[in-house]
Amino acid sequence: MDMTASNEVKRRLIERYHRDGPRYTSYPTAPEWREDVGATAVFERLQQLQQNELAKPISLYIHIPFCEEICHFCACNTFKIGDRAFAENYLEKLKQEIALFAQNIREPRETIQMHWGGGTPTYLKENEIDSLFNTISQHFSFARDAEIAIELDPRVTSLGQVQLLAKLGFNRVSFGVQDFDPDVQKACNRIQPRDLTKQLYDQCRQLGMSSINFDLIYGLPQQTEQSFAKTVEEVIHWRPDRIALFSYAHLPRKVAYQRRINAAELPDPASKFNIFVQARERFLESGYVQIGMDHFALQNDELAVALQQKKLRRNFQGYTVKPESYIYAMGLSGISDFGNLYVQNFKKFNLYYDRLDQQRFAAHRGVVLGQDDQVRREVITELMCNFELDMRAIATKHNIVFRDYFATELAELEQQAEDGLLQIQESKLEVLPLGKIFIRNIAMVFDAYLRRSRGERQAMFSKTI
């Protein structure tokens, strides 16, 4: 959005679109998932795929749910533990789950993408990282151009760990940065000196990591437009390949650690909106391309190229250029995607362990996608990824008359078109630059579950701004 726009225009847009809404990592979203869709559904789906000669390639997600310290803003499923033996036991269970998946997947098990998340994956010692990677390699083979990624916390990641990761073949790393401002860091219980981050960044560059991402968060306590502008300039100077600019979702009723944040220190909606818009404009001016609602990539990055070609995709591991794949998630709370089935593992250690000890999958909740779900998922994904929608292509693929099928939605979009968020053409929806800021609001129009619940579900999500 042009920062020269009047305060009245900004106020009107914020009032209209500052709502609770999903990020659409999936559709249907997590509140619609049920506990009667779990381990049995996973087993049956994998058996179906065994018979399918056209089965998609594989992506792996490995969850490491441990941190040395818990940041007060964090909503991830992670724990601070004092006993290293606890982590060692978890790794053994994780290896059991890896083997269980491999036993139920048709050969060859070529993997095009793997992501280690958390928590803090580098909480693990070097020998534990090596052992876990070797276990995965025994059961899954990586494609020559596989994307092998890991999340790093500069406060706990050593040079030895980074050297090992490079040796094992990790080629993408994501740095937790959030904000360089000391006051913001103190308010969030994440003290991370700039020089420490720079040292690790330089080490990764020297080791030839092909892509480095920085995670930033706007809307944190003590954060101002002026303070965050300094962080943005520092990041631009370092020139990471990608930047994720996440909105802080303050949900203290759901996230225990967030109750330690002083809500009075959070920027108000207008200030938070300005922080994002200001950062967005600086990244765009500096040669980055906006990817989806809150990511940025250098113009020669494969994500930026895919966006230009309208081939960008998104899954539980983020934006990607890789072909559609099944995501097999291992570890506590991991979410798997089997095409027409989403499932999530147990979030409690004892339940996760018990299932694996029974040689059963650890999934405990999920959803089976019906035909309408699959149509709407594709519509939402196209809008969230490529900022446009080819109505004719959707109609042909799913054998529908688009303008009849989505008559209610198209009528509702007229207001957003009047506000300058998008253009409704004869056979295409095109998201305008302003609409990229409010892309979640545009996608929400196509969410049948929000519509049926008359907005009641919205209270379970973060604010769209």
Side-chain angles (χ1 to χ4, degrees), residues 102-333:
Q103 292 166 13
N104 287 275
I105 299 173
R106 180 174 61 83
E107 296 277 8
R109 296 187 290 268
E110 184 175 66
T111 301
I112 62 171
Q113 191 178 31
M114 179 172 71
H115 185 95
W116 290 21
T120 305
T122 47
Y123 175 91
L124 302 179
K125 297 177 181 178
E126 290 177 38
N127 66 306
E128 294 172 330
I129 293 173
D130 191 47
S131 176
L132 178 57
F133 190 90
N134 286 335
T135 296
I136 295 169
S137 298
Q138 289 170 13
H139 295 288
F140 297 89
S141 59
F142 293 101
R144 181 173 297 180
D145 62 346
E147 178 182 300
I148 305 178
I150 188 169
E151 298 171 10
L152 300 182
D153 181 343
R155 299 171 300 168
V156 301
T157 305
S158 68
L159 174 59
Q161 287 174 312
V162 175
Q163 290 173 330
L164 173 61
L165 293 172
K167 178 183 176 182
L168 292 173
F170 283 85
N171 48 34
R172 295 190 183 278
V173 293
S174 183
F175 279 44
V177 174
Q178 324 317 343
D179 193 319
F180 284 125
D181 186 271
D183 292 333
V184 176
Q185 292 183 356
K186 184 177 179 181
C188 296
N189 191 41
R190 188 187 176 95
I191 305 302
Q192 183 174 317
R194 170 200 172 280
D195 291 346
L196 186 67
T197 305
K198 186 64 166 65
Q199 181 183 38
L200 185 66
Y201 177 82
D202 290 341
Q203 290 169 348
C204 288
R205 285 296 191 204
Q206 291 165 9
L207 288 167
M209 296 290 187
S210 63
S211 180
I212 299 178
N213 173 79
F214 276 11
D215 283 348
L216 304 177
I217 299 179
Y218 69 99
L220 293 172
Q222 295 283 344
Q223 200 176 67
T224 66
E225 295 172 48
Q226 294 73 27
S227 70
F228 196 65
K230 295 178 182 178
T231 290
V232 168
E233 293 304 321
E234 186 76 26
V235 170
I236 289 172
H237 178 69
W238 290 9
R239 214 73 178 159
D241 304 277
R242 300 175 182 178
I243 299 160
L245 181 57
F246 295 119
S247 169
Y248 170 60
H250 190 58
L251 301 169
R253 288 184 296 176
K254 295 177 61 177
V255 184
Y257 274 96
Q258 291 187 359
R259 295 166 198 159
R260 304 183 186 189
I261 283 181
N262 182 356
E265 295 180 343
L266 296 172
D268 60 46
S271 297
K272 184 179 179 183
F273 178 75
N274 286 336
I275 289 171
F276 173 77
V277 171
Q278 179 177 270
R280 173 181 176 271
E281 292 192 346
R282 281 297 297 130
F283 289 136
L284 296 180
E285 291 169 358
S286 302
Y288 286 89
V289 174
Q290 184 172 355
I291 305 295
M293 60 186 170
D294 51 17
H295 285 58
F296 300 85
L298 292 174
Q299 292 177 358
N300 61 348
D301 187 277
E302 61 182 6
L303 291 183
V305 174
L307 175 62
Q308 186 177 22
Q309 298 173 345
K310 304 302 179 186
K311 294 180 179 179
L312 193 65
R313 296 185 54 260
R314 187 165 176 253
N315 58 30
F316 288 112
Q317 299 183 31
Y319 292 97
T320 182
V321 302
K322 295 297 182 184
E324 286 190 26
S325 60
Y326 298 121
I327 298 178
Y328 301 139
M330 291 92 166
L332 207 70
S333 74

Side-chain angles (χ1 to χ4, degrees), residues 328-357:
Y328 301 139
M330 291 92 166
L332 207 70
S333 74
I335 299 176
S336 295
D337 177 357
F338 300 98
N340 64 353
L341 169 69
Y342 297 140
V343 291
Q344 182 174 32
N345 281 354
F346 283 105
K347 295 183 178 182
K348 294 184 178 180
F349 288 100
N350 62 325
L351 298 175
Y352 173 73
Y353 292 169
D354 286 347
R355 278 292 178 87
L356 292 173
D357 287 341

